[in-house]
Amino acid sequence: MAKVVLSGNEAVARGAYEAGVHIATAYPGTPSTEILENIGRHYPEVYAEWAPNEKVAVEVAMGASFGGARSLAAMKHVGVNVAADPMFSFAYTGINGGFILVSADDPSMHSSQNEQDNRQYGKFAKLPVLEPSDSQEVKEFVILGYQISERFNTPVIIRLTTRVSHSKSVVELGERKEVPIKPYVKDPAKYIVMPHHARLLHRELEERLKKLKAFSEATEVNRIEWGNREIGIVTDSISYQYAKEVFPDATVLKLGMVFPFPDKKVRELAAAVEKIYVVEENEPFIEEHIRMLGIPCIGKDKVPILYELNQKRVREAFFGKSKREEIDISDLPPRPPALCPGCPHRSVYYAAHKLKLTVTGDIGCYTLGTMPPLDAMDTCICMGASIGNAFGLELAQGKNFSKKMIATIGDSTFIHSGMTGLAEVAYNKGITTVVILDNGVTAMTGGQQHPATGKTLRGETTRKLDFVALAKAMGIEKVYETDAYNLKEVKERLKEATTADEPVVIVNKGKCILERRGEKFVPFAVDAEKCIGCKICLGLGCPAISFDKEKNKAQIDPILCVGTACTLCSQVCPTEAIGEMEGK
Amino acid sequence: MMDRPTGILAVGVGGQGIILATEILSELALSAGFDVKKSEVHGMSQRGGAVLAAVRFGEKVYSPLITEGEADYLLAFEKLEALRNINYLTPDGVLIANNREIYPAPVAAGLMDYPSDIEERLRKCAKNLVLLDAMELAFKAGHPRTLNVVLLGVLSTFLKIPVELWEKTIRRRVPGKAIDANMRAFHLGREQRREE
Ligand SMILES: Cc1ncc(C[n+]2csc(CCOP(=O)(O)OP(=O)(O)O)c2C)c(N)n1
Ligand code: SF4
Ligand code: SF4
């Protein structure tokens, strides 16, 4: 079959297709998002959807498995925390149709809040963990994963990392093998984890793990690549590639299945080589297993626990720092990300900054409201935390404090896990003001649909969640909509809301500007005669506006500016110097 | 010992077509019969941050990453990003840099200055330097978005891969109505080198 270059995420999609998967679901999250996007785009044979959050995704895929279908749920590493509750029970019940959970971890936190190592979930939830090292393996491991899942009656975790998900390598394509959907058979002792069932299920689970361990000892994906006998390297995932590059002649035990751990293979290696190096990213997961077997090895003594590895870091870990002379570039201005020109989130953070509000934040593009000059965010913890955090601050600091505070949360994030926080505020008599930043899309992860956009993953029209009705249904009476591009309105509403003695919900409406790329806008320009160099417009932090020091005037980049779609800078300019290009 | 793979690092700012350029490069390497790997960091690049993408090809490629001192070619879409990533270049690597300036936020806001000595510093650090106004050539080719293909055109004069294969791969990867402009861009890039 044809050879193509695929990313790890594209290869998961391809593997699911070839493995005859019926149902795939996910909540977006870097670096996992493209898995479902690719299934949606290229493989109509597979049902593909965005779930409102990762827990629901796993529950849906689990139900599909109970219903006899092969199913897949994909998420970023922290998404597995959200989905952990059903996953732990799923380990007990086992499957009917094969099931794979894809966890895409993010060592170095390229776009995440932590670098938790989800291999640990395998051990914790007692589930087998497969770790491919390139795209070809990703595809093969997805197919293997379904075989393991159905042979051993277990959910399977495939753990990727940013470098496996987002790097591309050569993949040989195969055909799809259709797998019939099995019948659903009612089986309370399996599917109902009441204590008296669960006790038996746990016993079965322990038996299953023994069989999986025997498989792990025998499988080709845990293999010794014999080289010289001085050094034996144990490695997994992308670290395998770095180890091979740095130690091309060493003997390597490549672990494609890190849990259950293949003890005998490590013993075999230990008996044959002089010393063992463990090359793994983040936690000493493999190293601890090896040490538990009483085998000495060198791992985190040398290989850093922080951040992702690469061939240079592995080389320096064992051979010392390279002596190459570095050219000093420490004086260069950084290039931090910023809210796009014309971003609908800007007005809320500009107004909050001006009103000197305490702002509990959340995760999404709008987290950039924390960057100067907006500098308008106090907390950002995990998806949905803004509302609970605000109410907690209110409880600790009192209502007067709360009146100078808002919780800001994106529309997708609100649906993911903000709704329960709002129920908390309503129920426990809070006066917290919650601003839902309704930009009509999950923007941060590249523009995915969600339950309030009216479109499904495949672009079909569907029901649309109504934030105003929802907040009212929770018993909140003061619920308003604001126009994200009317700065005065946004500011007035915030002022009013923060004086109220009851909870207020503001739905700030404005479509993500990247979703409006097809539309024509007339860019704005600065009338140099009227501009007095006051720099007020720079306070918006719009990347299109810059300041010409020599002329002491603001200027606008006509390629970046979306002008008539936005108009914010013209609203803050005290001399009406900013407007459409004509005549300027 | 196997030969070290050839490493090409493309750097610049979100929206400049860097990812597509490296996609084209990896397909090209595959059809020229090489093993190839590609990696990229595009976390928040959509929001004006820096973008970095790497392609490595050769007989056998392990790591998809290019670390400091491993880029045989540094393809810089913006001048400041060229200097920021200069340490990735091998001692006799080739730097192909677009001389346009795109202000990062702290410069736009007037908090920092855009360094005025970049070209001087690039000339000092990179033995093999092709500095060009790729944006002007892209406009000349018919569309500013062909900037990436202009730079690929320059690069093509260094790599031992047949021109026809470049043309074929570019044709396959750029949007249908933009093929002509991209072909012009590619050859404008190639001529640039000859004029050196
Ligand atoms: C548990 C979890 N799942 C997924 C993510 C990845 N993620 C970060 S922000 C975000 C979406 C934000 O969308 P929205 O709230 O609509 O804000 P926008 O980016 O559109 O401004 C996602 C999916 C995460 N950080 N945590
Ligand atoms: S992608 Fe959309 S929501 Fe995100 S910063 Fe840009 S305009 Fe704002
Ligand atoms: S109108 Fe003003 S604030 Fe809006 S994008 Fe243009 S320059 Fe930026």
Side-chain angles (χ1 to χ4, degrees), chain A residues 316-384:
Chain A
E316 292 187 344
F318 293 100
F319 302 114
K321 263 210 149 348
S322 83
K323 290 187 198 68
R324 232 175 73 89
E325 245 180 75
E326 297 269 298
I327 294 154
D328 184 20
I329 45 160
S330 54
D331 61 311
L332 300 185
R335 196 180 289 279
L339 293 174
C340 298
C343 174
H345 298 327
R346 181 167 279 110
S347 53
V348 166
Y349 291 99
Y350 182 80
H353 179 101
K354 288 286 165 212
L355 295 168
K356 298 194 175 62
L357 301 180
T358 297
V359 180
T360 60
D362 226 300
I363 304 196
C365 280
Y366 51 95
T367 312
L368 293 169
T370 192
M371 307 293 275
L374 294 171
D375 190 18
M377 205 174 277
D378 289 72
T379 66
C380 170
I381 305 300
C382 67
M383 289 194 71

Side-chain angles (χ1 to χ4, degrees), chain B residues 124-195:
Chain B
K124 221 162 50 195
C125 318
K127 267 196 276 173
N128 306 304
L129 171 68
V130 183
L131 194 65
L132 70 159
D133 191 343
M135 199 59 182
E136 190 192 288
L137 295 177
F139 274 113
K140 211 162 136 190
H143 204 284
R145 280 192 179 276
T146 61
L147 170 73
N148 51 3
V149 175
V150 171
L151 292 172
L152 288 182
V154 184
L155 178 67
S156 72
T157 61
F158 289 94
L159 298 177
K160 289 190 198 73
I161 294 177
V163 183
E164 302 74 53
L165 203 52
W166 282 91
E167 291 178 338
K168 212 172 114 190
T169 315
I170 294 168
R171 266 175 207 283
R172 201 167 48 227
R173 284 311 300 253
V174 301
K177 58 178 198 283
I179 289 180
D180 290 345
N182 276 287
M183 284 301 122
R184 282 194 293 275
F186 179 68
H187 286 282
L188 283 169
R190 284 183 68 81
E191 281 160 26
Q192 194 66 18
R193 172 80 191 296
R194 245 174 263 141
E195 284 165 16

Side-chain angles (χ1 to χ4, degrees), chain A residues 120-196:
Chain A
Q120 317 252 34
Y121 264 115
K123 199 169 165 188
F124 195 8
K126 297 177 177 278
L127 295 170
V129 180
L130 298 179
E131 285 195 286
S133 304
D134 61 24
S135 300
Q136 176 70 34
E137 275 192 358
V138 168
K139 197 197 80 168
E140 286 167 9
F141 283 22
V142 170
I143 295 167
L144 174 70
Y146 284 102
Q147 289 162 0
I148 294 174
S149 176
E150 287 170 2
R151 176 165 155 206
F152 295 96
N153 178 30
T154 179
V156 170
I157 296 175
I158 293 191
R159 177 195 179 246
L160 311 174
T161 65
T162 297
R163 297 305 184 178
V164 178
S165 281
H166 280 173
S167 65
K168 294 200 164 189
S169 55
V170 183
V171 175
E172 194 169 342
L173 302 180
E175 301 283 353
R176 175 172 169 93
K177 238 184 98 194
E178 288 297 344
V179 180
I181 294 186
K182 297 181 194 166
Y184 168 73
V185 182
K186 184 168 173 171
D187 187 356
K190 177 175 168 75
Y191 297 132
I192 297 181
V193 288
M194 294 164 77
H196 65 287

Side-chain angles (χ1 to χ4, degrees), chain A residues 517, chain B residues 8-26 38-42 45-46 48-55 75-78 98 102 134-135 138 143-153 155 170 173-175 182:
Chain A
R517 264 177 292 214
Chain B
I8 303 168
L9 188 68
V11 300
V13 181
Q16 285 190 300
I18 294 168
I19 302 296
L20 179 60
T22 49
E23 296 272 315
I24 290 173
L25 281 173
S26 42
K38 181 195 151 187
S39 64
E40 62 201 38
V41 167
H42 54 62
S45 54
Q46 236 175 0
V51 189
L52 196 146
V55 177
L75 212 57
F77 286 58
E78 199 269 355
N98 178 17
I102 299 177
M135 199 59 182
H143 204 284
R145 280 192 179 276
T146 61
L147 170 73
N148 51 3
V149 175
V150 171
L151 292 172
L152 288 182
L155 178 67
I170 294 168
R173 284 311 300 253
V174 301
N182 276 287

Side-chain angles (χ1 to χ4, degrees), chain A residues 469-480:
Chain A
L470 181 78
K472 287 195 170 153
M474 286 188 182
I476 295 167
E477 284 164 18
K478 287 194 155 52
V479 185
Y480 308 107

